[in-house]
């Protein structure tokens, strides 16, 4: 009887210990199932679709890795990758450096600082579609406010989004204006977490502004910088909505990015298998870049 009572007591004790875990899983299980259903299942289905040649409805015939092999000789895809690389190289450093400068300015104790912070963050929360529609009016070659200002000071009008040599640079400027709020907020939060003792000690030791910034502030911002480099790189590689609402990849395909080319293949030309293969390769490239940034940051 003593042994049976001890075993029963042990089971009750284990049940009481498991009860909080089971209660927690009971709360998170519905959301977990939804997340898995909306992410894992489509990812597996897309992987299977990339091995076939057809549209989204019929699926087509099984072709194995042929879609991935066709990417090697696709000159249009290579051009789109080049455009995306140029955009990424310009947008990521530009947005991060400008975000740091804004954060340093917004960290000062001045009047109406809350208002200024809101003004710089509002463009980030506005959808890229709305930003693109606004940009069409602002940079219109004939009636845009920018060309009106250039003419007012005696400068020639520019083509901007309708000029193949200027369209991508214009998209970069629009993206920095709309996306600089994210780096500014992240850096502002990181600046406020820097211990004041470090800054005061550097100043007591004779450090001036630029020395304190270089040897104290910037090293403390390395985790935030690594996060922002990864975040902004992913954002740049996935550029689509701004292109769709402004140039549609034109003029002369000078603003066709990888994701826009993917969209064209999958939803306009109905080559869903090929488009999905491009998406998976882009995912692997993004994963590799993120891993490299994390590795470098850890070192």
């Amino acid at each position: 009887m003593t042994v049976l009572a001890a075993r029963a007591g042990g089971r009750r004790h284990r049940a009481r210990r498991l009860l909080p875990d089971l209660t927690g899983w009971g709360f998170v299980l519905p959301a977990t199932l939804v997340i898995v259903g909306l992410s894992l299942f489509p990812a597996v289905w897309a992987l299977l679709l990339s091995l076939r040649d057809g549209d989204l409805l019929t699926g087509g015939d099984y072709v194995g890795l042929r879609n991935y092999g066709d990417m090697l000789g696709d000159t249009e895809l290579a051009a789109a990758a080049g455009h995306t690389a140029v955009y990424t190289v310009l947008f990521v450093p530009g947005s991060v450096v400008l975000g740091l400068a804004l954060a340093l300015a917004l960290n000062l104790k001045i009047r109406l600082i809350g208002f200024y912070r809101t003004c710089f963050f509002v463009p980030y929360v506005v959808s890229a579609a709305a930003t693109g529609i606004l940009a069409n009016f602002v940079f219109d070659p004939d009636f845009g406010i920018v060309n009106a200002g250039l003419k007012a000071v005696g400068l020639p009008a520019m083509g901007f989004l309708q000029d193949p040599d200027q369209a991508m640079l214009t998209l970069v400027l629009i993206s920095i204006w709309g996306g600089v709020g994210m780096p500014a907020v992240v850096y502002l939060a990181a600046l406020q977490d820097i211990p004041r003792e470090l800054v005061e000690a550097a100043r007591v030791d004779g450090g001036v502004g630029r020395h304190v910034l270089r040897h104290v502030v910037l090293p403390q911002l390395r985790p935030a910088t690594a996060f922002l480099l990864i975040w902004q790189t992913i954002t740049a590689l996935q550029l689509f909505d701004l292109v769709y609402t402004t140039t549609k990849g034109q003029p002369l395909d000078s603003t066709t990015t990888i994701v826009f080319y993917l969209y064209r293949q999958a939803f306009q030309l109905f080559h869903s298998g090929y488009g999905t293969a491009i998406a998976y390769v882009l995912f692997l490239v993004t994963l590799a870049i993120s891993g490299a940034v994390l590795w470098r940051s850890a070192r």
Side-chain angles (χ1 to χ4, degrees):
M1 295 295 294
T2 304
V3 174
L4 294 177
R7 291 179 178 177
R11 287 194 294 268
R12 287 194 296 269
H13 179 67
R14 287 193 296 270
R16 286 194 298 268
R17 291 183 60 184
L18 289 175
L19 184 60
D21 296 335
L22 294 176
T23 303
W25 275 108
F27 280 109
V28 303
L29 184 59
T32 302
L33 293 176
V34 172
I35 293 174
V36 171
L38 295 178
S39 58
L40 184 60
F41 172 75
V44 174
W45 178 74
L47 178 60
L48 298 176
L49 186 62
S50 69
L51 304 177
R52 307 182 70 87
D53 182 20
D55 54 39
L56 292 173
L57 298 178
T58 62
D61 300 325
Y62 177 80
V63 295
L65 299 177
R66 193 181 73 183
N67 287 326
Y68 294 91
D70 291 342
M71 296 171 56
L72 299 176
D74 192 341
T75 57
E76 294 183 2
L77 176 60
H83 300 154
T84 305
V86 171
Y87 175 86
T88 303
V89 169
L90 295 177
F91 169 74
V92 175
S95 61
V96 172
V97 172
L98 183 58
L100 175 60
L102 287 176
L104 292 172
L106 296 175
N107 197 39
L108 300 176
K109 295 181 179 180
I110 57 177
R111 295 182 58 185
L112 301 177
I113 189 62
F115 173 75
Y116 299 140
R117 293 174 179 175
T118 303
C119 290
F120 284 108
F121 189 69
V122 164
Y124 177 75
V125 299
V126 175
S127 67
T131 301
I133 295 173
L134 176 63
N136 285 327
F137 290 99
V138 173
F139 292 101
D140 186 273
D142 300 319
F143 309 103
I145 187 174
V146 176
N147 270 336
L150 292 176
K151 293 178 181 178
V153 296
L155 296 176
M158 309 289 285
F160 295 117
L161 295 173
Q162 296 185 14
D163 188 332
D165 297 327
Q166 302 176 11
M168 182 57 71
L169 180 59
T170 305
L171 287 180
V172 171
L173 295 177
I174 297 171
S175 300
I176 291 178
W177 173 82
V180 74
M182 174 67 177
V185 169
V186 172
Y187 273 133
L188 182 61
L191 285 172
Q192 295 177 353
D193 286 339
I194 296 177
R196 293 185 177 179
E197 294 79 6
L198 294 177
V199 178
E200 293 175 355
R203 291 174 177 172
V204 169
D205 290 340
V208 295
R210 66 178 184 274
H211 296 114
V212 174
L213 176 64
R214 178 181 177 183
H215 298 289
V216 178
V217 175
L218 292 183
Q220 294 293 319
L221 296 179
R222 284 176 182 171
T225 302
F227 165 76
L228 287 172
L229 288 175
I230 295 174
W231 182 273
Q232 296 298 80
T233 300
I234 294 175
T235 301
L237 293 177
Q238 295 180 349
L239 178 66
F240 169 77
D241 41 12
L242 185 61
V243 175
Y244 184 81
T245 55
T246 53
T247 63
K248 297 291 193 301
Q250 303 304 315
L252 301 178
D253 289 332
S254 61
T255 58
T256 298
T257 59
I258 293 179
V259 178
F260 189 82
Y261 182 75
L262 181 160
Y263 160 80
R264 183 184 297 168
Q265 289 290 327
F267 298 102
Q268 292 182 343
L269 301 178
F270 303 105
H271 299 158
S272 58
Y274 186 57
T276 308
I278 296 174
Y280 261 92
V281 172
L282 178 61
F283 165 73
L284 294 177
V285 171
T286 304
L287 188 64
I289 294 175
S290 301
V293 173
L294 287 176
W295 175 79
R296 177 60 181 171
S297 176
R299 292 194 62 183

